[in-house]
Amino acid sequence: MTPLKIGACLAPHEIADHRAWLFDDARDIELQGFSTHRDLTTEFEDRISAAKEALHGFEGRLGIHGPYEGLDMDNKDPELRPLITARYLKALEAAERVGARQMVLHSPFNRWYAWNRLNKPNYWETKLARIHDVMLPVVKAAETAGITLVIENILDVDPASRRAMVDSFDTDAIALSIDTGHVHLARRMSGAPPVDYFVRDAGDQLRHVHLQDLDGHADRHWAPGEGEIHWQEVFRALSECASDPHLVLELCRKSDIPQGFAYLKSLGLVE
């Protein structure tokens, strides 16, 4: 198994602390700080400027994390859906202006859907129609900008539902993201399959991965090696993935990035 190159998720002001590791080997970076109302309104131009300054000289692959709090792409209120679309579009503008080629958005699927999808007439069709109402303008804008929207699992218990949603748009402008910690938490809470199953189910639709570890109780965002995830099997599945996804450590303590990297390197999984 060939070791894979990984990077990290960081806000612009945090990049300097890890600059040599990231820049010297052109590692993947995911920019954080473009997800709240304030980020995308009153502080928007300041955040764009800070990102450009922090990234000066960077030659690796770049993405951003888009907005998510209170912004469900499956919103049932037709008056609210255009507001969600507008917020996603504003974040996409940020991605384009800083030179990002990916933007992470959150999945609309959860255990409730998995339990009830066959319990209500046309449940899948009506849910998908709402998602398309919100997302079609965003997907079209992403196509024009050459940016891929990557949909991250949050409470998903069935990877196939999110994959089918992505497939329904029939475009390379929307693909799949996997958060390893979210998968393992769903496994412990809801009986979801393990992380490597999610990776293999995603196949060539997988373009982005958040690497984080946890104990199965909460969304810890610990460094790999501190929790319960079986990293050898996760990376065995990733090594079989032909789509070359962005691989980024998403840790609650950015100071733990060297520790997480060192642990995975000690297993021969990363370089």
Side-chain angles (χ1 to χ4, degrees), residues 38-257:
R38 186 173 60 188
D39 296 339
L40 299 173
T41 55
T42 58
E43 297 184 0
F44 186 70
E45 293 299 334
D46 289 341
R47 292 191 178 276
I48 295 290
S49 297
K52 287 182 176 180
E53 181 178 352
L55 291 166
H56 181 69
F58 178 64
E59 297 180 352
R61 300 187 299 183
L62 180 66
I64 74 167
H65 200 303
Y68 55 92
E69 292 182 340
L71 301 173
D72 181 8
M73 67 176 65
D74 179 34
N75 196 292
K76 295 181 180 179
D77 190 324
E79 292 186 19
L80 294 179
R81 288 199 290 269
L83 300 177
I84 298 169
T85 299
R87 194 58 50 77
Y88 289 165
L89 287 171
K90 190 64 176 179
L92 195 63
E93 177 190 338
E96 187 171 15
R97 288 180 60 182
V98 302
R101 299 272 63 88
Q102 284 188 350
M103 184 170 81
V104 180
L105 295 174
H106 282 186
S107 171
F109 294 97
N110 53 31
R111 182 171 62 173
W112 180 266
Y113 170 77
W115 283 354
N116 285 280
R117 66 183 183 87
L118 299 179
N119 187 45
K120 298 180 180 181
N122 302 313
Y123 194 10
W124 162 255
E125 292 80 4
T126 55
K127 184 179 183 72
L128 190 62
R130 292 191 299 267
I131 293 168
H132 274 240
D133 190 29
V134 168
M135 290 299 296
L136 272 174
V138 189
V139 172
K140 293 296 183 185
E143 284 180 330
T144 300
I147 294 171
T148 303
L149 307 170
V150 287
I151 312 303
E152 175 188 0
N153 60 297
I154 305 299
L155 299 170
D156 302 61
V157 298
D158 175 14
S161 297
R162 191 165 38 98
R163 174 170 47 79
M165 183 205 83
V166 164
D167 288 342
S168 74
F169 287 93
D170 193 26
T171 173
D172 290 337
I174 185 168
L176 293 172
S177 166
I178 290 174
D179 184 298
T180 59
H182 296 170
V183 173
H184 188 69
L185 188 58
R187 176 166 171 74
R188 290 288 300 270
M189 289 175 23
S190 307
V195 179
D196 59 291
Y197 276 49
F198 269 70
V199 173
R200 291 189 169 96
D201 182 88
D204 289 346
Q205 284 281 28
L206 184 61
R207 306 295 172 80
H208 172 272
V209 180
H210 281 150
L211 302 167
Q212 59 128 331
D213 212 341
L214 42 68
D215 58 358
H217 179 71
D219 190 20
R220 302 290 199 178
H221 286 267
W222 287 340
E226 292 191 318
E228 300 177 342
I229 291 176
H230 193 286
W231 290 104
Q232 289 92 334
E233 191 59 30
V234 172
F235 274 83
R236 188 173 292 116
L238 287 172
S239 71
E240 298 165 3
C241 184
S243 57
D244 192 22
H246 292 209
L247 304 175
V248 283
L249 292 162
E250 190 185 39
L251 308 184
C252 61
R253 292 178 296 273
K254 308 304 183 185
S255 59
D256 287 349
I257 288 172

